[in-house]
Structure formats: structure tokens, C-alpha cells
Amino acid sequence: MLRHFLRIKIDNDLLTAMAERWRPETHTFHLAEGEMTITLKDVAILTEMPISGDAIIGPTTKPEGGWGPLIRDRLGFDMPTTTPIQGMGHPPLNAGQVSVPWLVSHIQQEVEINDETPEEQVERYARIYLIGLVGGFLFPDKSNRWIQGIWLDMLTGDWDAIGQKSWGSAVLAGVYRELCICSKVGAKQAGAAMFILQLWVWEHLPMFAPLNPRPYRRNDDELNFLQNLPYGVK
């Protein structure tokens, strides 16, 4: 369901105003009406991401043998480590980070899935998409150009184990951490899944929500689909 949140247009002015009211000492927003904060319950209701289960932990150092063998083993293709991307000036791999533009361009060139595509290849591209979605959307860096190498290992294991992890709590922790950083004097950018903060503001401070939100459907045939979407998408 996470891909449906990609439709949300981020309101930078609103997020900046909220960051200016964030207090790192208490992890709360100081507003005229009092203190408020985003809770795990908010994340669970707005996004339907699990807030219980295994913790999101993993190695943050380069694996033995480097990232190349891991990518070849888990994703099925070789990724050059030194050649700069044409027109981008940086290599696909850099200090344990994978280039988002390179990953996207590679998939666009290679993907051709049909009824005859082997299941192994379909699963491989599904994992690549998942890595891009999690590493580039739920836990993005400030440039939106790099994905941490930790997701290569964490999201290419057992499918069931991936789904049993507490993604909601990890994402909320990332939002808290980024708010503590970007609320400091001199901060100019923010990473993390700030779309959750925007949804939270729209829900709890409705005077800042869109006046005429467009329904998430194109015709009445999609009503059943709409009913099954997370509350935040609606």
C-alpha cells in the first residue's frame, strides 16, 4: 500500500513551520494550544504499517568482500563501483550507498515482464522495487539520490520475515530523529518519511488540510479499492 502515498504532494512550507515548533528535549510540537506529538497509533491508523514485531536492525558496515558480491548474489546483476553515471558525476556505489538514479535507469532498461517471465526474475525485480520504495521513500536521505546499503541485505531475505518487522515504529523513530536535526539553527533540509508528518497535521490540525481534497478514484468502479486503502491515502 505504500506506493499509493507517492501521490501526496509535500507541502514544504507547512513542514518547515512544524519543524520550527519541534522541541528535541520532549519530542513534541509546542503550539498555542499546548504540546502535541505523533504517536505509534497515528502511524498505524494513517499508514497501516505494523508497529509490533521484530525491530528494524542490521549491519551498517560494508560486508566482507564489499557490496558488489552482495548485489550480484541478491539482485542478480553487477553494479560498477567506480565508473561515474553519465551526466551525474558520481558512481552507482559510494561509501555503502546505492545510487537511486542508476537503480531506476537500470530497471527501466532491463525489465520486461510477461506471462513467460521466470518467477525468479519477477521476484528479483520485486525486491529491487521494494528496496527503492523503503530506502528511497520511507528512509530517504536529504538528496533523494542515495539508498543506504543496509536495505540490500535486509530486504532480500525471507519474504515472511520482512513483513513481520515493526516498520511503523522504525519510520516514526526516523521522523523524530530528523525533526530533532532539522529544527536546529542552520538546518536547510530534512530527510525521513515526512509525508507522515503532513498527514498527521492534516488530521489533527484540519485548518491546514487541503480545502478541496480530490478523491482518490477516477470512477465509481474503484470504490471497493478505495475502501481497502489506508486512512492516510483516503
Side-chain angles (χ1 to χ4, degrees), residues 59-82:
T60 58
T61 57
K62 183 171 64 174
E64 184 177 355
W67 294 105
L70 177 64
I71 294 173
R72 189 181 310 110
D73 177 62
R74 300 297 178 86
L75 301 183
F77 59 82
D78 292 317
M79 177 177 284
T81 59
T82 57

Side-chain angles (χ1 to χ4, degrees), residues 19 22 27 29 37-40 43 49 56 134-135 137-142 148 151 166-183 189-197:
W22 178 260
H27 287 169
F29 297 102
T37 195
I38 311 173
T39 67
L40 281 173
V43 174
M49 284 190 289
I56 305 297
V134 172
F137 183 60
L138 291 184
F139 302 94
D141 70 350
K142 293 181 176 63
Q148 297 296 326
W151 305 117
S166 180
W167 292 101
S169 58
V171 170
L172 180 59
V175 171
Y176 273 28
R177 179 179 183 274
E178 198 62 32
L179 282 169
C180 290
I181 295 174
C182 71
S183 61
Q189 293 176 305
M194 287 299 177
F195 77 95
I196 292 179
L197 170 57

Side-chain angles (χ1 to χ4, degrees), residues 94-233:
N94 181 32
Q97 297 176 313
V98 180
S99 169
V100 175
W102 189 91
L103 199 61
V104 171
S105 64
H106 182 84
I107 296 305
Q108 289 176 339
Q109 295 173 6
E110 299 293 335
V111 168
E112 185 177 348
I113 296 177
N114 52 49
D115 294 338
E116 299 179 357
T117 303
E119 183 178 351
E120 179 180 345
Q121 184 176 352
V122 175
E123 181 175 322
R124 176 158 57 94
Y125 285 122
R127 291 188 186 279
I128 295 173
Y129 177 80
L130 187 62
I131 290 171
L133 186 64
V134 172
F137 183 60
L138 291 184
F139 302 94
D141 70 350
K142 293 181 176 63
S143 68
N144 286 324
R145 295 171 62 181
W146 298 99
I147 294 175
Q148 297 296 326
I150 182 176
W151 305 117
L152 292 173
D153 187 42
M154 185 174 296
L155 297 174
T156 51
D158 180 66
W159 283 113
D160 293 332
I162 293 173
Q164 293 171 0
K165 294 183 180 296
S166 180
W167 292 101
S169 58
V171 170
L172 180 59
V175 171
Y176 273 28
R177 179 179 183 274
E178 198 62 32
L179 282 169
C180 290
I181 295 174
C182 71
S183 61
K184 297 179 180 179
V185 175
K188 298 180 180 180
Q189 293 176 305
M194 287 299 177
F195 77 95
I196 292 179
L197 170 57
Q198 183 164 312
L199 291 174
W200 178 84
V201 173
W202 286 356
E203 174 63 18
H204 293 280
L205 303 172
M207 70 285 293
F208 298 116
L211 295 177
N212 298 300
R214 302 179 64 181
Y216 186 88
R217 61 188 177 91
R218 293 185 297 273
N219 53 60
D220 292 337
D221 293 336
E222 297 183 2
L223 268 176
N224 291 332
F225 178 65
L226 172 65
Q227 293 172 354
N228 294 324
L229 289 177
Y231 180 68
V233 176

